[in-house]
Amino acid sequence: MMNILVTNDDGYQADGLKVLVKELSKQHTVYVIAPDGNRSGASHSITMYRDHIIKKIEENVWSYTGNPVDCVIVGLKSNLLSEPIDLIVSGINHGANMGTDIIYSGTASAAREGALHNIPSIAVSLDKDNAVSKDFELLSQNVVANIDTFIELTKKTKNRCFINVNAPSCPTYKGIKIASYLNCRGYSDFIQIEKHGEDMKAVFMPGDLTSSTELDSDYMLTQQGYISVALVNADPSAIQLVDGDTVFIVK
């Protein structure tokens, strides 16, 4: 039995979070600290120089006016919780967080923050925005059944890592596979500038999404009906130079 901190970027009232908490609570003690509203795309943003409001919703459940990473920091570095946290689970996100999405995702960033504190952390996302409750239930059951395996995976490398789980919305899964690649996403979103009184306002306009199709990538695994599991570095790392003899000019 573990003490688990659950958060997300869709807000504490999101169906994905509620279903996940219900399933986790069957075997573990679950604490929820989640944003008071949608924070999708918040990435790893933290709030400084501004106070936030914490509201107790029910026993072991709090809403927070900050971002997902703020929620994790409050859970780990304040006196709000009386017990130490053994595991952080972020999600279930309403929509995929694969490949390039991880850079922007508040869901993934909450798990990254947990990993940076050396706590096993899992981000969980469901590929379809119009998913129904049963889809979240099925994914939750699979996550809970494999929690010990996910925790062991985070220990496979000397780097601090988190687990990124993505699944399609479907009645059954073909299985669970580790992704060999994280796909490259292409976004055609744009910003529309409109008049706003004497000023102007910028309006985010979503566009089509494209994904690279490497075999055994997180995207292709979900397309084939599998739950995709990726081990993602939380620590910054530099790509090793191909040519170690490169000479630079210093002035």
Side-chain angles (χ1 to χ4, degrees), residues 41-44 97-106 108-109 112 187:
S43 189
H44 209 100
N97 281 307
M98 296 184 282
T100 317
D101 300 340
I102 297 171
I103 298 170
Y104 305 103
S105 166
S109 295
R112 182 187 296 112
Y187 309 96

Side-chain angles (χ1 to χ4, degrees), residues 45-209:
S45 174
I46 61 173
T47 304
M48 302 172 67
Y49 313 120
R50 182 160 60 92
D51 295 337
H52 276 295
I53 302 300
I54 301 170
K55 182 178 180 180
K56 187 170 185 177
I57 306 301
E58 58 185 76
E59 189 65 25
N60 291 346
V61 177
W62 295 267
S63 70
Y64 190 60
T65 55
N67 295 316
V69 172
D70 291 320
C71 294
V72 173
I73 293 172
V74 166
L76 300 181
K77 303 186 76 172
S78 77
N79 60 351
L80 183 66
L81 305 182
S82 59
E83 299 292 335
I85 295 300
D86 303 306
L87 174 71
I88 293 170
V89 184
S90 182
I92 296 172
N93 191 67
H94 294 216
N97 281 307
M98 296 184 282
T100 317
D101 300 340
I102 297 171
I103 298 170
Y104 305 103
S105 166
T107 301
S109 295
R112 182 187 296 112
E113 182 66 23
L116 292 175
H117 288 273
N118 294 304
I119 295 175
S121 299
I122 306 166
V124 187
S125 303
L126 192 62
D127 196 14
K128 299 295 184 183
D129 288 315
N130 59 347
V132 298
S133 182
K134 287 185 178 179
D135 299 325
F136 290 118
E137 289 172 4
L138 181 61
L139 180 52
S140 294
Q141 290 164 4
N142 278 276
V143 168
V144 171
N146 290 280
I147 275 183
D148 290 340
T149 302
F150 292 153
I151 292 173
E152 286 303 311
L153 276 175
T154 65
K155 302 175 183 178
K156 292 289 186 180
T157 172
K158 64 181 180 180
N159 291 349
R160 292 176 292 185
C161 296
F162 67 93
I163 298 294
N164 191 47
V165 177
N166 280 276
S169 180
C170 56
T172 59
Y173 297 122
K174 289 184 179 179
I176 302 175
K177 286 190 175 183
I178 295 178
S180 302
Y181 302 94
L182 301 180
N183 85 97
C184 293
R185 298 281 220 183
Y187 309 96
S188 58
D189 311 323
F190 66 98
I191 303 298
Q192 182 169 300
I193 304 298
E194 301 177 355
K195 284 191 67 63
H196 185 67
E198 296 181 357
D199 301 314
M200 293 180 288
K201 65 177 179 180
V203 182
F204 178 83
M205 306 295 290
D208 294 330
L209 176 67

Side-chain angles (χ1 to χ4, degrees), residues 1-4 23-30 144 147:
M1 182 173 176
M2 293 185 289
N3 294 319
I4 300 177
E23 194 66 32
L24 287 168
S25 298
K26 293 177 181 179
Q27 301 178 36
H28 306 283
T29 300
V30 178
V144 171
I147 275 183

